[in-house]
Amino acid sequence: MTLYIGREASKLWKRICSETTTEINLLLDNWKYLLAGLIFQYIHGLSARGVHYLHRPGPTLQDLGFYILPELGQDKGYISETVFTCVFLSFVLWTFHPFIFKSKKIYTVLVWCRVLSFLVASQALRIITFYSTQLPGPNYHCREGSKLARLPKPHSALEVLLINFPRGVIYGCGDLIFSSHMIFTLVFVLTYQKYGTRSSCIKYFAWLVAIVQSLLIVASRKHYTVDVVVAWYTVNLVVFFLDKKLPELPDRSSGNLPMLLPLSTKDKDGRTKEENHKLLNGNSVDPADWV
C-alpha cells in the first residue's frame, strides 16, 4: 500500500512539474494579453467607483421582478454573494485541473486569455451603459437616507484611484443596466460548457446555478431585472462573436498538440525546411515529426 501511494505521488509530482513547464512557456508568450485583461479589471472597478460619485438616490423604479420575487431583505444579501463566490472559486480551480488530473483538455494560460477577452468586451459595454444613463440604485445602501448613497467629492485623485477595494466594490451605486456578477457567471458557464470534459449533467447544473444566481440578484434588490436580462443576452452574443474571431484553443485530447503550440522563429524555420525536404522527396508531412 505504501509503495502504491509513493508511486502515485511520484507520478503526480512529475505531472505537476511537466505541466508547470508547459504553462510557463505559454505564459512567456501570452503574458501581455493576461496583463492587459487584469489591468482592465482595475479600469472596470475604477469606472464603477467613478459613476458612484454621479449617483443620485431616488424612488425605486417599477420592476416586474420585484413584484414577482419575494424580497430577501438586507440581512440575507449574503446568499447571492455566496453563490457567486462558489461559482468563481470552482471555475478558477477547474482551470488549474490540468496540473493534477490526467484528463487534460485545456491549457490554463490559454483558457484564461480567452476568458479575459470575453470579460473585457462585456465590461466595456457595461461601462458605456451605466455612464450613458444613471439610474437610482435599488440596493438598500443606495436608497435615500443612506450615507453610502452619495459619495462626497474626493479630496485627491488618489482617493478615486484606490477605489476603496473591496468595500468600494461591494457598496457601489450607479453601475446599473448591466449586472457585473452575471457577466462573470455567464462567461464562466459558457467557457465550461465548451471546454469542460465532465458529463452533461454538471453542465446543466452550471446553467441552473446561473439561473438561480439571476433570481437571487433581483430578490436581493441588488439590480433591476433589466440589468440581469441585458447581461444574459449581451454576454452570450459577445462570447458567440468573439469565439468566432479568436483562434481555436488546441485540444489536448487530439494528440496533435505540438503543432498548435507557439513556436520560436528558429523552430519555425527548421520545421519549414524539413517540410520542404519531405515534399521534394515525395513524402507526406506528419505532424508528429514536428516534435
Side-chain angles (χ1 to χ4, degrees):
M1 185 66 178
T2 305
L3 181 62
Y4 173 78
I5 295 175
R7 185 168 62 252
E8 291 300 315
S10 177
K11 289 181 181 179
L12 177 61
W13 175 247
K14 290 180 180 178
R15 189 181 306 133
I16 293 174
C17 292
S18 175
E19 197 66 30
T20 301
T21 302
T22 302
E23 294 292 346
I24 288 176
N25 291 330
L26 290 173
L27 182 61
L28 292 175
D29 288 329
N30 298 279
W31 66 270
K32 294 179 181 179
Y33 305 110
L34 292 174
L35 181 61
L38 293 175
I39 290 176
F40 195 86
Q41 299 310 302
Y42 168 75
I43 295 174
H44 176 249
L46 183 63
S47 301
R49 175 71 170 177
V51 80
H52 196 168
Y53 288 101
L54 303 176
H55 178 256
R56 295 296 179 266
T60 303
L61 301 180
Q62 182 175 333
D63 191 284
L64 181 62
F66 291 179
Y67 285 111
I68 296 177
L69 297 175
E71 188 172 355
L72 288 179
Q74 192 170 4
D75 58 331
K76 295 181 180 179
Y78 68 90
I79 298 178
S80 64
E81 292 295 332
T82 301
V83 173
F84 174 74
T85 301
C86 292
V87 171
F88 188 91
L89 292 179
S90 60
F91 180 80
V92 172
L93 291 175
W94 171 75
T95 61
F96 284 91
H97 82 272
F99 288 85
I100 306 297
F101 298 104
K102 293 181 180 179
S103 57
K104 300 174 289 187
K105 187 179 180 180
I106 62 168
Y107 292 96
T108 302
V109 170
L110 297 183
V111 79
W112 272 109
C113 286
R114 208 172 191 85
V115 166
L116 285 171
S117 68
F118 297 152
L119 291 176
V120 167
S122 300
Q123 290 167 339
L125 293 174
R126 181 173 189 259
I127 292 171
I128 293 172
T129 57
F130 63 62
Y131 270 107
S132 300
T133 303
Q134 285 84 48
L135 299 178
N139 212 333
Y140 301 101
H141 63 268
C142 298
R143 299 176 183 178
E144 193 71 58
S146 172
K147 295 180 179 180
L148 299 173
R150 298 189 183 192
L151 288 181
K153 292 183 179 180
H155 299 292
S156 64
L158 186 62
E159 182 180 339
V160 180
L161 294 175
L162 291 178
I163 69 174
N164 192 21
F165 184 84
R167 183 179 175 82
V169 176
I170 297 175
Y171 294 101
C173 296
D175 51 337
L176 301 171
I177 320 181
F178 216 145
S179 171
S180 178
H181 280 27
M182 288 310 303
I183 290 177
F184 281 93
T185 300
L186 290 172
V187 167
F188 292 165
V189 172
L190 287 167
T191 303
Y192 182 76
Q193 174 73 27
K194 183 171 184 178
Y195 299 108
T197 56
R198 296 297 178 183
S199 64
S200 57
C201 292
I202 298 180
K203 295 180 179 180
Y204 290 142
F205 177 74
W207 283 111
L208 177 62
V209 171
I211 295 172
V212 171
Q213 173 73 9
S214 303
L215 299 177
L216 287 174
I217 288 175
V218 177
S220 301
R221 304 303 188 252
K222 294 182 177 180
H223 277 280
Y224 293 108
T225 306
V226 68
D227 303 336
V228 174
V229 172
V230 169
W232 266 92
Y233 67 74
T234 304
V235 173
N236 277 280
L237 286 174
V238 166
V239 172
F240 175 78
F241 285 110
L242 276 185
D243 202 46
K244 297 290 185 182
K245 297 294 183 181
L246 294 174
E248 188 55 69
L249 292 184
D251 187 353
R252 307 183 70 154
S253 60
S254 65
N256 294 327
L257 300 174
M259 58 183 288
L260 297 172
L261 291 176
L263 299 173
S264 65
T265 305
K266 183 178 179 181
D267 292 334
K268 290 179 181 178
D269 293 340
R271 191 187 71 182
T272 303
K273 290 179 181 179
E274 187 175 352
E275 289 179 25
N276 293 335
H277 177 74
K278 288 189 175 184
L279 289 173
L280 289 173
N281 285 276
N283 297 326
S284 61
V285 181
D286 187 356
D289 294 334
W290 296 354
V291 182

